Amino acid sequence: MKLLLVEDDTQLVDFLRPKLQSSGYIVESVDNGIDAEFLAREEDFDCIILDLGLPQKAGLEVLKNLRHHQFSTPVLILTARDSWQERVDGLKAGADDYLGKPFHYEELSARLAAILRRRYGHLDSVLEFQDLTLDLDKQALTKACGETCQLTAIEFRLLRQLMLNPGKILSKTELSEHIYEEDRIKDSNVIEVYINRLRAVLGKSRIKTFRRQGYRLSGH
Ligand code: CA
């Protein structure tokens, strides 16, 4: 799951980034409206956290432009405390939810989870695919036999991406975008290593390789 965090308050970004990362999100951040709009159009994010008070281009304008061009990525806006007008303007412009500053991380985390549940159509904190159940809070996998496996952070993100897209072939690039931080590991061959680790957990035949196309989670 990849988030775009748009916030010009560097202290807040420094506070939020590690917390979001430990919740299992990949975080890209920008500190102005122009870069925000560019990246939001350019890359595939699961959700955008958008501060409204931004330099260069206001958050509200970024949001309006994205919606005007049919970008449907969910957007959670951060608004000034007690500014009901900002919230109303943001919701009218197409925000999915809002949070007034200052806020507790737990509230941001719960709202994000709710937005993502709505987006991906699963109603609690587990993802299911046939005999596999992935607990999104504990980052653990339970198989039909009842065996529970704790996954490493990268294994968890990789399996989550596969389980969110059952039956779809996902390219290495697509997978690595949702698994690594920006610029950290650009070599998509590393994906192969993690795919093989997951195969060791799930059984070899559960992740099929499609030459030059990518991988697909398969039934048992
Ligand atoms: Ca601001």
Side-chain angles (χ1 to χ4, degrees), residues 6-9 12 31 51-55 78 101:
V6 187
E7 173 57 76
D8 59 321
D9 175 347
L12 185 56
D31 61 4
D51 179 36
L52 290 188
L54 290 173
L78 303 179
K101 292 178 178 178

